[in-house]
Each structure stands twice: as C-alpha cells, then as structure tokens.
C-alpha cells in the first residue's frame, strides 16, 4: 500500500494498542495485517484500524485482559450502537 509493491503477504500480527481513555495499553493478537515482501513494512488496512478503534470506544475496556485476540475483542458486547465521537 505505502510503497506500492504488489509483493505482499496477508498475515495476522500482534500489536500494542493504547485504549481511548489513555490509561493503559493492551496487546491485540491475530490482527489481520499486510506484510510487504519488498520493504518489510507490516501494517493494518485503515478499515481494520478503524474497526479496532471503534470497538474500543464502544465496549467496557475495564473487562479486557492485558492481551486479547482481535476476534475476541471484536466479539465483546457493545455498550453503545455506534461511535458518537467520530465526526
């Protein structure tokens, strides 16, 4: 995406993520990711990043352990229907 190479690998990666309230960070495992085989950059598509950010605004983050899989994070029950903080 960034270096415009077509040599990519669809993978799942682990990343540290700061909670919206800013009081702690968690580890999210198995995040759908893209790895560029030319430049070595590993990143998540904007849509995945947005899904994670929205979900963290909409759930009770105090119930999340310090490490959670992407799938388990996205399965957490939401307290709100949508992210009202988005413009």
């Amino acid at each position: 995406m960034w270096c415009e190479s077509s040599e990519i690998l669809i993978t799942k990666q682990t990343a540290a993520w700061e909670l919206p309230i800013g009081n702690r960070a968690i580890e999210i495992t198995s995040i759908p990711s893209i790895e560029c085989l030319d430049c070595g950059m590993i990143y998540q598509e904007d849509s995945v990043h947005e899904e994670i950010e929205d979900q963290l605004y909409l759930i009770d983050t105090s119930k999340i352990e310090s490490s959670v899989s992407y799938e388990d994070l996205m399965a957490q029950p939401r307290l709100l229907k949508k992210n009202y903080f988005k413009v």
Side-chain angles (χ1 to χ4, degrees), residues 55 68-77:
Q55 186 70 346
V68 63
S69 73
Y70 171 81
E71 188 175 294
D72 288 345
L73 175 67
M74 300 313 288
Q76 293 289 314

Side-chain angles (χ1 to χ4, degrees), residues 17-26 56 60-63:
W17 218 279
E18 185 176 348
L19 298 181
I21 195 168
N23 62 343
R24 68 183 176 116
I26 60 171
L56 290 173
D60 182 356
T61 56
S62 68
K63 295 182 180 178

